[in-house]
Amino acid sequence: MGFSWSLHFAQHGGEGLLSEQPRLKDSPIVNDRADAVVLSPHTLPRHYLYVDNCGILERSRARANAAIKEASSAFSERGQTVHDLDVIVGPVDVLGTELDFVAKRSRVSQKRYWRVRRCLDWILKHGRINGRALEVWLGHATFCAMAERGVLSAFSTVYAFTAAHYWESAPLWPSVRSELEAFRGCMVFLESDWTRGWADLVCATDASPAGYGVSTTQWDRANVAAVGRIDERS
């Protein structure tokens, strides 16, 4: 640690090691640069690695158990400590996110949810904070909002307050308090339902200092799904 490329080598070294295991050789890896995962019996197994956290999605407990033991042995043989091994059917907490393959949904884990909410309650109760500390909370709130990105629309002047009072404690602006209260009220929606279908109404928007424009059209849902699953980075 402390070496700027340490995370890069740890991540890619681990991914390469997993891809060599017989039970994962034909399993596509799940990450921010891979294709979107469409969960069905024909798309599993899948696996992911985040530095020292590995997960395997399988159709049966027996195959999942065999695959995770195989991966664990590969790391142990190279002197790398392995976390506790769990094979779970139903909700599982993964890096602060609860994945529920029975209810087909993902949401912020209870532990992370209440940490972020109680910190927000403290900020609103005391009514003042410096921008640097608020920025830390905003980072955690943004992570939580990945489960329902519409909740991020609550924030606007909170960013200006963070920049204006970065190193000094200052009373919350009325607009900042209003935005934080709006986010707190919307936290109940921090959940993603995997069973929701694609909408056939496609919109494009743009804006300028003089105004904004919106255009809409109807697409076949299969085309909407195909385009919607394209990696955002591309």
Side-chain angles (χ1 to χ4, degrees):
M1 300 305 296
F3 174 49
S4 60
W5 283 85
S6 58
L7 181 61
H8 171 85
F9 289 124
Q11 179 69 26
H12 287 272
E15 289 180 356
L17 183 58
L18 287 177
S19 67
E20 296 173 357
Q21 306 314 305
R23 293 181 183 275
L24 297 178
K25 189 165 52 178
D26 298 322
S27 167
I29 193 166
V30 179
N31 59 30
D32 62 338
R33 297 181 183 275
D35 293 335
V37 179
V38 181
L39 293 174
S40 75
H42 307 293
T43 60
L44 298 179
R46 294 290 186 103
H47 68 279
Y48 68 85
L49 180 78
Y50 180 67
V51 190
D52 58 351
N53 294 277
C54 173
I56 297 173
L57 313 181
E58 255 291 6
R59 286 166 286 182
S60 78
R61 179 187 290 269
R63 284 196 292 267
N65 192 48
I68 199 69
K69 285 184 176 179
E70 187 177 82
S72 174
S73 296
F75 282 100
S76 297
E77 290 170 1
R78 289 161 176 78
Q80 297 178 351
T81 304
V82 178
H83 289 187
D84 295 336
L85 306 181
D86 295 311
V87 179
I88 301 172
V89 177
V92 56
D93 188 346
V94 178
L95 301 172
T97 301
E98 180 188 281
L99 304 178
D100 191 332
F101 295 95
V102 176
K104 295 182 174 61
R105 70 184 179 193
S106 55
R107 59 185 178 183
V108 180
S109 68
Q110 288 192 29
K111 183 177 180 180
R112 183 179 289 271
Y113 177 96
W114 286 109
R115 278 183 173 177
V116 172
R117 186 177 180 105
R118 285 169 180 165
C119 183
L120 176 56
D121 290 341
W122 184 91
I123 294 171
L124 291 171
K125 178 182 178 180
H126 287 265
R128 62 185 300 124
I129 194 172
N130 65 59
R132 188 165 181 261
L134 183 58
E135 184 180 58
V136 173
W137 178 86
L138 278 170
H140 290 283
T142 301
F143 177 91
C144 293
M146 292 297 100
E148 174 46 74
R149 296 190 185 190
V151 176
L152 283 174
S153 62
F155 296 142
S156 179
T157 57
V158 66
Y159 300 118
F161 176 91
T162 299
H165 301 287
Y166 197 75
W167 294 109
E168 60 181 5
S169 178
L172 296 175
W173 302 343
S175 57
V176 171
R177 173 174 287 276
S178 177
E179 290 173 10
L180 295 177
E181 290 175 344
F183 181 85
R184 183 177 61 177
C186 290
M187 287 185 70
V188 67
F189 299 114
L190 296 178
E191 177 177 306
S192 179
D193 182 357
W194 303 345
T195 65
R196 294 177 64 185
W198 292 91
D200 59 1
L201 179 65
V202 180
C203 307
T205 64
D206 203 355
S208 72
Y212 65 91
V214 181
S215 62
T216 63
T217 186
Q218 301 287 138
W219 280 16
D220 181 87
R221 282 190 170 86
N223 291 332
V224 176
V227 173
R229 290 172 179 142
I230 294 175
D231 176 14
E232 291 182 0
R233 295 176 182 270
S234 65

